Amino acid sequence: DAGVIQSPRHEVTEMGQEVTLRCKPISGHDYLFWYRQTMMRGLELLIYFNNNVPIDDSGMPEDRFSAKMPNASFSTLKIQPSEPRDSAVYFCASSLLVTSGGALAQYFGPGTRLTVL
Amino acid sequence: RKEVEQDPGPFNVPEGATVAFNCTYSNSASQSFFWYRQDCRKEPKLLMSVYSSGNEDGRFTAQLNRASQYISLLIRDSKLSDSATYLCVVNLGNQFYFGTGTSLTVIP
């Protein structure tokens, strides 16, 4: 398996522009997670999906952020308009199973390094 | 109070040394536990899951202490390639809580 695939790997944009990050989870995984990592705040969960349905978006910082999962093999995280404080590494991760008895581990993509000027 | 807390380090140890990290969690109902490794400018990668009875993978040993609500990672015979940040992860229901990571540098 190719693992979790993210694109682009690097994105540099100007404040006010729309940014779209893309993720392809591991085939067969039914959970997909979007994280943001900065030196100051560490790894933060933004939103996660189960079977393409958003389950918890309480980590999404504000209305400028939106995420979609139109099918089991693709998800997007959009920032519109982008601001310099959005600069971070954005990771997508997928997992096979989360049950009442606990979860299986998540597998991360290589991340998108976003710089907003 | 944070859900998961780790000593950020840094831990600087000589090659061949044994080093241990602890990670405490706040919710006694937590269900699954993991250690991840993150190299500089890379994604976190699963190092090992942590089982109730403790488990070992080569030079790495993970332990869970539910009574005291902590997990530990022991690295024996440290290699230069072990230098990285080690993240503990705790699962509760649908939530995954990441520690901020412990930085390890193994010195020649």
Side-chain angles (χ1 to χ4, degrees), chain B:
Chain B
R1 183 183 175 187
K2 291 184 179 178
E3 294 287 342
V4 176
E5 299 214 44
Q6 284 184 260
D7 181 347
F11 285 67
N12 300 314
V13 303
E15 212 172 351
T18 295
V19 61
F21 310 133
N22 281 346
C23 172
T24 59
Y25 59 95
S26 60
N27 195 318
S28 60
S30 297
Q31 297 161 295
S32 302
F33 308 88
F34 310 91
W35 282 102
Y36 279 73
R37 169 196 170 124
Q38 186 172 22
D39 293 287
C40 187
R41 302 178 75 83
K42 298 285 189 181
E43 73 272 23
K45 291 187 177 178
L46 178 66
L47 180 64
M48 56 198 305
S49 301
V50 186
Y51 302 123
S52 297
S53 55
N55 47 300
E56 188 174 303
D57 182 2
R59 298 181 293 107
F60 298 84
T61 300
Q63 297 272 351
L64 168 63
N65 186 318
R66 285 196 180 271
S68 301
Q69 294 182 203
Y70 74 85
I71 61 173
S72 63
L73 178 67
L74 181 77
I75 306 175
R76 291 181 299 278
D77 187 23
S78 300
K79 311 291 185 190
L80 298 178
S81 58
D82 294 333
S83 297
T85 296
Y86 291 83
L87 303 161
C88 67
V89 183
V90 173
N91 160 248
L92 173 61
N94 290 332
Q95 294 293 328
F96 288 83
Y97 300 100
F98 282 75
T100 52
T102 299
S103 173
L104 171 66
T105 300
V106 181
I107 304 164

Side-chain angles (χ1 to χ4, degrees), chain A residues 43-96:
Chain A
L43 201 60
E44 303 174 277
L45 177 64
L46 300 177
I47 184 171
Y48 74 92
F49 296 82
N50 175 220
N51 292 323
N52 314 337
V53 177
I55 302 300
D56 185 347
D57 65 354
S58 59
M60 297 284 262
E62 44 196 279
D63 292 345
R64 297 184 298 105
F65 286 69
S66 62
K68 294 182 179 179
M69 191 166 186
N71 57 62
S73 59
F74 183 65
S75 176
T76 59
L77 177 68
K78 187 175 293 187
I79 309 172
Q80 165 66 18
S82 57
E83 297 183 3
R85 61 194 167 116
D86 302 330
S87 298
V89 181
Y90 290 80
F91 289 108
C92 175
S94 70
S95 176
L96 181 57

Side-chain angles (χ1 to χ4, degrees), chain A residues 11-17 82-85 87 114-117:
Chain A
E11 177 83 23
V12 180
T13 191
E14 292 188 345
M15 183 174 63
Q17 296 298 307
S82 57
E83 297 183 3
R85 61 194 167 116
S87 298
L114 174 65
T115 302
V116 183
L117 303 173

